[in-house]
Coordinates of all heavy atoms in Angstrom, one line a residue:
M30 N -12.2 56.1 6.2 CA -12.5 54.9 6.8 C -13.7 55.0 7.7 O -13.9 56.0 8.5 CB -11.3 54.4 7.5 CG -11.4 53.1 8.3 SD -9.7 52.7 9.0 CE -10.2 51.5 10.1
S31 N -14.6 54.0 7.7 CA -15.9 54.1 8.6 C -16.1 52.7 9.2 O -15.6 51.6 8.7 CB -17.0 54.5 7.7 OG -17.3 53.5 6.8
L32 N -16.8 52.7 10.2 CA -17.3 51.4 10.8 C -18.6 51.1 10.2 O -19.4 51.9 10.1 CB -17.3 51.7 12.5 CG -17.8 50.6 13.3 CD1 -16.8 49.4 13.2 CD2 -17.9 51.1 14.7
R33 N -18.7 49.9 10.0 CA -19.9 49.4 9.3 C -20.8 48.6 10.3 O -20.3 47.6 10.9 CB -19.7 48.5 8.1 CG -20.8 48.3 7.3 CD -20.4 47.6 5.9 NE -21.5 47.6 5.1 CZ -21.7 46.8 4.0 NH1 -20.8 45.9 3.8 NH2 -22.8 46.9 3.3
V34 N -21.9 49.0 10.6 CA -22.8 48.3 11.6 C -24.2 48.2 11.0 O -24.7 49.1 10.2 CB -22.9 49.0 12.9 CG1 -21.4 49.1 13.6 CG2 -23.5 50.4 12.9
G35 N -24.9 47.2 11.6 CA -26.4 47.0 11.1 C -27.2 47.9 12.1 O -26.8 48.3 13.1
V36 N -28.5 48.1 11.6 CA -29.5 48.8 12.3 C -29.6 48.3 13.8 O -29.7 49.0 14.8 CB -30.8 48.8 11.6 CG1 -31.8 49.5 12.4 CG2 -30.7 49.6 10.3
R37 N -29.7 47.0 13.9 CA -30.0 46.4 15.2 C -28.8 46.6 16.2 O -29.0 47.1 17.2 CB -30.2 44.9 15.1 CG -30.5 44.2 16.4 CD -31.0 42.8 16.2 NE -32.2 42.9 15.5 CZ -32.8 41.8 14.9 NH1 -32.2 40.7 15.0 NH2 -34.0 41.9 14.4
E38 N -27.5 46.5 15.6 CA -26.4 46.7 16.5 C -26.2 48.2 16.9 O -26.0 48.5 17.9 CB -25.1 46.4 15.8 CG -23.9 46.6 16.6 CD -22.6 46.1 15.9 OE1 -22.6 45.4 14.8 OE2 -21.5 46.4 16.4
L39 N -26.5 49.0 15.8 CA -26.6 50.5 16.1 C -27.6 50.9 17.3 O -27.2 51.6 18.2 CB -26.9 51.3 14.9 CG -27.0 52.8 15.0 CD1 -25.6 53.4 15.4 CD2 -27.5 53.5 13.8
R40 N -28.7 50.2 17.1 CA -29.8 50.6 18.1 C -29.3 50.0 19.5 O -29.5 50.7 20.6 CB -31.1 50.0 17.7 CG -32.3 50.2 18.7 CD -33.6 49.6 18.2 NE -33.4 48.1 18.1 CZ -33.8 47.5 17.0 NH1 -34.4 48.1 16.0 NH2 -33.6 46.1 17.0
D41 N -28.8 48.8 19.6 CA -28.3 48.1 20.8 C -27.2 49.0 21.5 O -27.1 49.0 22.7 CB -27.9 46.8 20.6 CG -29.1 45.9 20.3 OD1 -30.2 46.3 20.5 OD2 -28.8 44.7 19.8
K42 N -26.3 49.6 20.7 CA -25.2 50.3 21.2 C -25.1 51.8 20.9 O -24.1 52.3 20.8 CB -23.9 49.6 20.6 CG -23.7 48.2 21.1 CD -22.5 47.5 20.4 CE -22.3 46.1 20.8 NZ -21.2 45.5 20.1
L43 N -26.4 52.3 20.7 CA -26.5 53.7 20.3 C -25.6 54.6 21.2 O -24.9 55.5 20.6 CB -27.9 54.2 20.2 CG -28.1 55.6 19.7 CD1 -27.7 55.7 18.3 CD2 -29.6 55.9 19.8
A44 N -25.7 54.6 22.4 CA -24.8 55.6 23.2 C -23.4 55.4 23.0 O -22.7 56.5 22.9 CB -25.1 55.2 24.7
E45 N -22.9 54.2 22.8 CA -21.5 54.0 22.5 C -21.1 54.6 21.2 O -20.1 55.3 21.0 CB -21.3 52.5 22.6 CG -19.8 52.2 22.2 CD -19.6 50.6 22.2 OE1 -20.3 50.0 22.9 OE2 -18.7 50.2 21.4
Y46 N -21.9 54.3 20.2 CA -21.7 54.8 18.7 C -21.7 56.3 18.7 O -21.1 56.8 17.9 CB -22.6 54.1 17.8 CG -22.2 52.6 17.5 CD1 -23.1 51.6 17.6 CD2 -20.8 52.3 17.3 CE1 -22.6 50.2 17.3 CE2 -20.4 51.0 17.1 CZ -21.3 50.0 17.1 OH -20.9 48.7 16.9
L47 N -22.6 56.9 19.4 CA -22.8 58.3 19.4 C -21.5 59.1 19.8 O -21.3 60.2 19.6 CB -24.0 58.8 20.1 CG -25.3 58.5 19.5 CD1 -26.5 59.0 20.3 CD2 -25.5 59.1 18.1
E48 N -20.8 58.4 20.6 CA -19.5 58.9 21.1 C -18.4 58.7 20.3 O -17.1 59.0 20.6 CB -19.2 58.4 22.6 CG -20.2 58.8 23.7 CD -20.1 60.2 23.9 OE1 -19.0 60.9 23.9 OE2 -21.1 60.8 24.1
A49 N -18.6 57.8 19.2 CA -17.5 57.4 18.2 C -16.9 58.8 17.6 O -17.5 59.7 17.4 CB -18.0 56.6 17.2
S50 N -15.6 58.6 17.2 CA -14.9 59.6 16.5 C -14.8 59.4 15.1 O -14.3 60.3 14.3 CB -13.5 59.8 17.1 OG -12.7 58.6 16.9
M51 N -15.2 58.2 14.7 CA -15.1 57.9 13.1 C -16.4 57.7 12.6 O -17.4 57.4 13.3 CB -14.3 56.6 12.9 CG -14.9 55.3 13.3 SD -14.1 53.9 12.8 CE -12.5 54.0 13.5
P52 N -16.6 58.0 11.3 CA -18.0 57.8 10.7 C -18.5 56.3 10.8 O -17.7 55.4 10.9 CB -17.7 58.2 9.2 CG -16.6 59.0 9.3 CD -15.6 58.4 10.4
I53 N -19.7 56.2 10.8 CA -20.4 54.8 11.0 C -21.3 54.6 9.7 O -22.2 55.5 9.5 CB -21.2 54.8 12.3 CG1 -20.3 54.9 13.5 CG2 -22.0 53.4 12.3 CD1 -20.9 55.0 14.9
E54 N -21.2 53.6 9.1 CA -21.9 53.3 7.9 C -23.1 52.4 8.5 O -22.7 51.3 9.1 CB -21.1 52.6 6.9 CG -22.0 52.1 5.7 CD -21.1 51.4 4.7 OE1 -19.8 51.3 4.8 OE2 -21.6 50.9 3.6
V55 N -24.3 52.8 8.2 CA -25.4 51.9 8.8 C -26.0 51.1 7.7 O -26.3 51.7 6.7 CB -26.5 52.9 9.5 CG1 -27.6 52.1 10.1 CG2 -25.9 53.9 10.4
T56 N -26.2 49.9 8.0 CA -26.8 48.9 6.9 C -28.0 48.3 7.5 O -28.2 48.1 8.7 CB -25.8 47.9 6.6 OG1 -25.4 47.1 7.8 CG2 -24.4 48.5 6.1
R57 N -28.8 47.8 6.5 CA -30.0 47.0 6.7 C -30.0 45.9 5.6 O -30.0 46.2 4.5 CB -31.3 47.8 6.6 CG -32.5 47.0 6.8 CD -33.9 47.7 6.7 NE -34.0 48.8 7.7 CZ -34.5 50.0 7.3 NH1 -34.7 50.3 6.2 NH2 -34.6 50.9 8.3
H58 N -30.0 44.8 6.1 CA -29.9 43.5 5.2 C -28.7 43.6 4.4 O -28.8 43.3 3.2 CB -31.2 43.4 4.5 CG -32.4 43.2 5.4 ND1 -32.7 42.2 6.3 CD2 -33.4 44.1 5.5 CE1 -33.7 42.4 6.9 NE2 -34.3 43.6 6.5
G59 N -27.5 44.2 4.9 CA -26.3 44.2 4.1 C -26.3 45.3 3.2 O -25.2 45.7 2.5
Q60 N -27.3 46.2 3.0 CA -27.3 47.4 2.1 C -27.2 48.7 3.0 O -27.8 48.9 4.0 CB -28.6 47.4 1.4 CG -29.0 46.3 0.5 CD -27.9 46.2 -0.7 OE1 -27.6 47.2 -1.3 NE2 -27.4 45.0 -0.9
T61 N -26.3 49.5 2.5 CA -26.0 50.8 3.3 C -27.3 51.7 3.1 O -27.8 51.8 2.1 CB -24.9 51.6 2.6 OG1 -23.7 50.8 2.7 CG2 -24.6 52.9 3.2
I62 N -27.8 52.1 4.3 CA -29.0 53.0 4.3 C -28.6 54.4 4.8 O -29.5 55.3 4.7 CB -30.1 52.4 5.1 CG1 -29.7 52.2 6.6 CG2 -30.6 51.1 4.5 CD1 -30.9 51.8 7.6
G63 N -27.4 54.6 5.4 CA -27.0 55.9 5.8 C -25.7 55.9 6.5 O -25.1 54.9 6.7
F64 N -25.3 57.1 6.9 CA -24.0 57.3 7.6 C -24.3 58.3 8.9 O -25.1 59.1 8.8 CB -23.0 58.1 6.7 CG -22.6 57.1 5.6 CD1 -23.1 57.1 4.4 CD2 -21.4 56.3 5.8 CE1 -22.7 56.3 3.4 CE2 -20.9 55.6 4.8 CZ -21.6 55.5 3.5
Y65 N -23.6 57.9 9.8 CA -23.5 58.8 11.0 C -22.1 59.4 11.0 O -21.1 58.7 11.0 CB -23.8 58.1 12.3 CG -23.4 59.0 13.4 CD1 -24.2 60.1 13.8 CD2 -22.3 58.8 14.3 CE1 -23.8 60.9 14.9 CE2 -22.0 59.5 15.4 CZ -22.7 60.6 15.6 OH -22.4 61.4 16.7
I66 N -22.0 60.8 10.9 CA -20.7 61.4 10.8 C -20.6 62.3 12.0 O -21.3 63.4 12.0 CB -20.5 62.1 9.5 CG1 -20.6 61.2 8.3 CG2 -19.1 62.9 9.5 CD1 -20.7 61.8 6.9
P67 N -19.8 61.9 13.1 CA -19.7 62.8 14.1 C -18.9 64.1 13.9 O -18.1 64.2 13.0 CB -19.0 61.9 15.2 CG -18.2 60.9 14.3 CD -18.9 60.8 13.1
V68 N -19.3 65.1 14.7 CA -18.6 66.3 14.5 C -17.5 66.3 15.5 O -17.6 65.8 16.6 CB -19.6 67.5 15.1 CG1 -18.9 68.9 15.1 CG2 -20.8 67.6 14.2
P69 N -16.3 66.7 15.0 CA -15.1 66.6 15.9 C -15.3 67.3 17.2 O -15.9 68.5 17.2 CB -14.0 67.2 15.1 CG -14.5 67.2 13.6 CD -16.0 67.2 13.7
K70 N -15.0 66.8 18.2 CA -15.2 67.3 19.7 C -13.9 68.4 19.9 O -13.0 68.1 19.7 CB -15.0 66.2 20.7 CG -15.3 66.8 22.0 CD -15.2 65.6 23.1 CE -14.1 65.9 24.1 NZ -13.8 64.8 25.0
K71 N -14.4 69.5 20.3 CA -13.4 70.5 20.7 C -12.9 70.2 22.1 O -13.6 69.9 22.9 CB -14.1 72.0 20.8 CG -13.9 72.8 19.5 CD -14.5 74.2 19.8 CE -13.5 75.2 19.3 NZ -14.0 76.5 19.4
P72 N -11.6 70.2 22.2 CA -11.0 70.0 23.6 C -11.4 71.1 24.6 O -11.5 72.3 24.2 CB -9.6 69.9 23.4 CG -9.3 70.7 22.1 CD -10.6 70.6 21.2
S73 N -11.7 70.7 25.8 CA -12.0 71.7 26.8 C -10.7 72.3 27.2 O -9.6 72.0 26.8 CB -12.6 70.9 28.1 OG -11.4 70.1 28.7
Q74 N -11.0 73.5 27.9 CA -9.7 74.4 28.3 C -8.8 73.5 29.1 O -7.6 73.7 28.9 CB -10.2 75.6 28.9 CG -9.1 76.6 29.2 CD -8.5 77.1 27.9 OE1 -9.1 77.4 26.9 NE2 -7.1 77.2 27.9
S75 N -9.3 72.8 30.0 CA -8.4 71.9 30.8 C -7.6 70.9 30.0 O -6.5 70.7 30.4 CB -9.2 71.3 32.0 OG -10.1 70.4 31.5
E76 N -8.2 70.3 29.0 CA -7.5 69.4 28.1 C -6.5 70.1 27.4 O -5.3 69.6 27.3 CB -8.5 68.8 27.2 CG -9.4 67.7 27.9 CD -10.5 67.3 26.9 OE1 -11.1 68.0 26.2 OE2 -10.9 66.0 27.0
R77 N -6.7 71.4 27.0 CA -5.9 72.2 26.2 C -4.6 72.4 27.1 O -3.5 72.4 26.7 CB -6.5 73.4 25.6 CG -7.4 73.1 24.5 CD -8.0 74.5 24.1 NE -7.1 75.5 23.8 CZ -6.8 76.0 22.7 NH1 -7.5 75.6 21.6 NH2 -5.9 77.0 22.5
D78 N -4.9 73.0 28.3 CA -3.9 73.3 29.3 C -3.0 72.1 29.6 O -1.7 72.1 29.7 CB -4.5 73.9 30.5 CG -5.2 75.3 30.3 OD1 -5.0 75.8 29.4 OD2 -6.0 75.5 31.2
A79 N -3.5 71.0 29.8 CA -2.8 69.7 30.0 C -1.9 69.4 28.9 O -0.7 69.1 29.2 CB -3.8 68.5 30.3
L80 N -2.4 69.5 27.7 CA -1.5 69.3 26.5 C -0.4 70.3 26.5 O 0.8 69.8 26.2 CB -2.2 69.3 25.2 CG -3.2 68.1 25.0 CD1 -4.1 68.3 23.8 CD2 -2.4 66.8 24.8
L81 N -0.7 71.5 26.7 CA 0.4 72.6 26.7 C 1.5 72.2 27.7 O 2.6 72.4 27.5 CB -0.2 74.0 26.8 CG -1.0 74.4 25.5 CD1 -1.8 75.7 26.0 CD2 -0.1 74.6 24.4
E82 N 1.0 71.9 28.9 CA 1.8 71.5 30.0 C 2.8 70.4 29.7 O 4.0 70.3 30.0 CB 1.2 71.3 31.3 CG 1.9 70.9 32.5 CD 3.0 71.9 32.9 OE1 2.9 73.1 32.5 OE2 4.0 71.6 33.7
A83 N 2.2 69.4 29.1 CA 2.9 68.1 28.7 C 4.0 68.5 27.7 O 5.1 68.1 27.7 CB 2.0 67.0 28.1
G84 N 3.6 69.4 26.7 CA 4.6 69.8 25.7 C 5.8 70.5 26.3 O 6.9 70.4 25.9
R85 N 5.4 71.5 27.2 CA 6.4 72.2 28.0 C 7.4 71.3 28.7 O 8.7 71.4 28.6 CB 5.8 73.2 29.0 CG 6.8 74.1 29.6 CD 6.2 75.0 30.7 NE 5.7 74.1 31.9 CZ 6.4 73.5 32.8 NH1 7.8 73.6 32.6 NH2 5.9 72.8 33.7
R86 N 6.8 70.3 29.4 CA 7.6 69.4 30.1 C 8.5 68.5 29.2 O 9.6 68.2 29.5 CB 6.8 68.5 31.1 CG 6.1 69.4 32.2 CD 5.1 68.6 33.0 NE 5.8 67.8 33.9 CZ 5.2 66.9 34.7 NH1 3.9 66.8 34.7 NH2 5.9 66.2 35.5
M87 N 7.9 68.0 28.1 CA 8.7 67.4 27.1 C 9.9 68.1 26.6 O 11.0 67.6 26.5 CB 7.7 66.9 26.0 CG 8.4 66.2 25.0 SD 8.7 64.4 25.6 CE 9.0 63.6 24.1
R88 N 9.7 69.4 26.3 CA 10.7 70.3 25.8 C 11.9 70.4 26.9 O 13.0 70.3 26.5 CB 10.1 71.7 25.4 CG 11.3 72.6 24.8 CD 10.7 73.8 24.4 NE 9.3 73.8 24.2 CZ 8.7 74.1 23.0 NH1 9.4 74.2 22.0 NH2 7.4 73.9 22.9
E89 N 11.5 70.6 28.0 CA 12.5 70.7 29.2 C 13.2 69.4 29.4 O 14.5 69.5 29.5 CB 11.8 71.0 30.5 CG 11.3 72.4 30.6 CD 10.5 72.7 31.9 OE1 10.3 71.7 32.8 OE2 10.0 73.7 32.2
E90 N 12.5 68.3 29.3 CA 13.3 67.0 29.4 C 14.2 66.7 28.2 O 15.3 66.2 28.4 CB 12.4 65.8 29.4 CG 12.9 64.5 29.7 CD 13.6 64.4 31.1 OE1 13.2 65.2 32.0 OE2 14.5 63.6 31.2
M91 N 13.8 67.1 27.0 CA 14.7 67.0 25.8 C 16.0 67.9 26.0 O 17.1 67.4 25.7 CB 13.9 67.4 24.5 CG 12.9 66.3 24.1 SD 11.8 66.9 22.8 CE 13.1 67.2 21.5
E92 N 15.7 69.1 26.5 CA 17.0 69.9 26.7 C 17.8 69.4 27.7 O 19.0 69.4 27.6 CB 16.5 71.4 27.1 CG 15.8 72.2 26.0 CD 15.2 73.5 26.5 OE1 15.3 73.8 27.6 OE2 14.6 74.2 25.7
H93 N 17.3 68.8 28.8 CA 18.0 68.2 29.9 C 18.8 67.1 29.4 O 20.0 66.8 29.7 CB 17.0 67.8 31.0 CG 17.7 67.0 32.1 ND1 18.6 67.6 33.0 CD2 17.8 65.6 32.3 CE1 19.0 66.7 33.9 NE2 18.6 65.5 33.5
M94 N 18.2 66.2 28.4 CA 18.9 65.1 27.8 C 19.8 65.5 26.7 O 20.7 64.6 26.2 CB 17.9 64.0 27.4 CG 17.0 63.5 28.6 SD 15.7 62.3 27.9 CE 16.8 61.0 27.3
G95 N 19.6 66.7 26.1 CA 20.6 67.1 25.1 C 20.2 66.6 23.7 O 21.1 66.3 22.9
I96 N 18.9 66.3 23.5 CA 18.4 65.7 22.3 C 17.5 66.7 21.4 O 16.9 67.5 22.1 CB 17.7 64.4 22.4 CG1 16.5 64.5 23.3 CG2 18.7 63.4 23.0 CD1 15.7 63.2 23.2
T97 N 17.6 66.6 20.2 CA 16.7 67.5 19.4 C 15.4 66.8 19.0 O 15.3 65.6 19.2 CB 17.5 67.8 18.0 OG1 17.6 66.6 17.3 CG2 18.8 68.5 18.3
E98 N 14.4 67.6 18.5 CA 13.2 67.0 18.0 C 13.5 66.0 17.0 O 12.8 64.9 17.0 CB 12.3 68.1 17.6 CG 10.9 67.7 17.2 CD 10.1 68.7 16.8 OE1 10.2 70.0 17.3 OE2 9.1 68.6 16.0
D99 N 14.3 66.4 16.0 CA 14.7 65.3 15.0 C 15.1 64.1 15.4 O 14.8 62.9 15.0 CB 15.7 66.0 13.9 CG 15.0 67.1 13.1 OD1 13.7 67.2 12.9 OD2 15.8 67.9 12.6
E100 N 16.1 64.1 16.4 CA 16.6 63.0 17.1 C 15.5 62.1 17.8 O 15.5 60.9 17.7 CB 17.8 63.3 18.0 CG 19.0 63.8 17.4 CD 20.0 64.3 18.4 OE1 19.5 65.0 19.4 OE2 21.2 64.3 18.1
L101 N 14.6 62.8 18.5 CA 13.5 62.1 19.1 C 12.7 61.4 18.1 O 12.3 60.2 18.3 CB 12.7 63.1 20.0 CG 11.5 62.6 20.7 CD1 12.0 61.7 21.8 CD2 10.7 63.8 21.3
V102 N 12.2 62.1 17.0 CA 11.5 61.5 16.0 C 12.1 60.3 15.3 O 11.5 59.2 15.2 CB 11.1 62.5 14.9 CG1 10.4 61.8 13.7 CG2 10.1 63.6 15.6
A103 N 13.5 60.4 15.1 CA 14.2 59.2 14.5 C 14.2 58.1 15.4 O 14.0 56.9 15.1 CB 15.7 59.7 14.2
G104 N 14.5 58.4 16.7 CA 14.4 57.2 17.7 C 13.0 56.6 17.8 O 12.9 55.3 18.0
F105 N 11.9 57.4 17.8 CA 10.6 56.8 17.9 C 10.3 56.0 16.6 O 9.7 54.9 16.8 CB 9.6 57.9 18.1 CG 8.2 57.4 18.0 CD1 7.7 56.9 19.1 CD2 7.3 57.6 16.9 CE1 6.4 56.4 19.2 CE2 6.1 57.3 17.0 CZ 5.5 56.6 18.1
K106 N 10.7 56.4 15.4 CA 10.5 55.7 14.2 C 11.3 54.3 14.3 O 10.7 53.3 13.9 CB 11.0 56.4 12.9 CG 10.0 57.5 12.6 CD 10.4 58.3 11.3 CE 9.6 59.4 10.9 NZ 10.0 60.2 9.9
E107 N 12.4 54.4 14.8 CA 13.2 53.2 14.9 C 12.6 52.2 15.9 O 12.4 50.9 15.7 CB 14.7 53.4 15.4 CG 15.6 52.3 15.4 CD 15.8 51.6 14.0 OE1 15.8 52.3 13.1 OE2 16.0 50.5 14.1
W108 N 12.0 52.7 17.0 CA 11.4 51.9 17.9 C 10.1 51.3 17.4 O 9.9 50.1 17.6 CB 10.9 52.8 19.2 CG 10.1 52.0 20.2 CD1 10.5 51.2 21.1 CD2 8.6 52.1 20.3 NE1 9.3 50.8 21.8 CE2 8.2 51.3 21.3 CE3 7.7 52.9 19.5 CZ2 6.9 51.2 21.6 CZ3 6.4 52.7 19.9 CH2 6.0 51.9 20.9
R109 N 9.4 52.0 16.6 CA 8.2 51.5 15.9 C 8.5 50.4 14.9 O 7.8 49.3 14.8 CB 7.4 52.6 15.2 CG 6.7 53.5 16.2 CD 5.6 54.3 15.5 NE 4.7 53.5 14.7 CZ 3.7 54.0 14.0 NH1 3.5 55.3 14.0 NH2 2.9 53.2 13.3
K110 N 9.6 50.5 14.2 CA 10.0 49.5 13.2 C 10.2 48.1 14.0 O 9.9 47.1 13.6 CB 11.3 49.8 12.5 CG 11.0 50.8 11.3 CD 12.4 51.1 10.7 CE 12.2 52.2 9.6 NZ 13.5 52.6 9.0
K111 N 11.0 48.2 15.1 CA 11.3 47.1 15.9 C 10.1 46.5 16.5 O 9.9 45.3 16.6 CB 12.3 47.5 17.0 CG 13.8 47.8 16.4 CD 14.7 48.1 17.6 CE 16.0 48.5 17.1 NZ 16.9 49.0 18.1
A112 N 9.2 47.4 17.0 CA 7.9 46.9 17.7 C 7.0 46.1 16.6 O 6.4 45.1 17.0 CB 7.2 48.0 18.4
H113 N 7.0 46.6 15.4 CA 6.2 45.9 14.4 C 6.8 44.7 13.7 O 6.1 43.8 13.1 CB 5.7 47.0 13.3 CG 4.9 47.9 13.9 ND1 3.5 47.7 14.2 CD2 4.9 49.2 14.2 CE1 2.8 48.8 14.7 NE2 3.7 49.8 14.5
A114 N 8.1 44.6 13.9 CA 8.8 43.5 13.4 C 8.7 42.2 14.2 O 8.8 41.1 13.7 CB 10.2 43.7 13.2
V115 N 8.2 42.4 15.5 CA 8.1 41.3 16.4 C 6.8 40.4 16.0 O 5.9 40.8 15.5 CB 8.1 41.8 17.8 CG1 7.8 40.5 18.7 CG2 9.3 42.4 18.2

């Protein structure tokens, strides 16, 4: 999946598009002239540490509540079904 933008829009919003995480299809007069494919950004050490801490805290909370990972996933899937049904 890619975002499709014209040359003028790309030029006007270049800084924003360079930060994109999805490929960008560049067009001129409706014809594709190229693609910008970003390199996946490596998380910083502080971002990695924050994710690891969040995971540790989540595991502790699940143990405290007495639920398993499978139960948590099933509950999340059920919540998503209800949220998308509205």
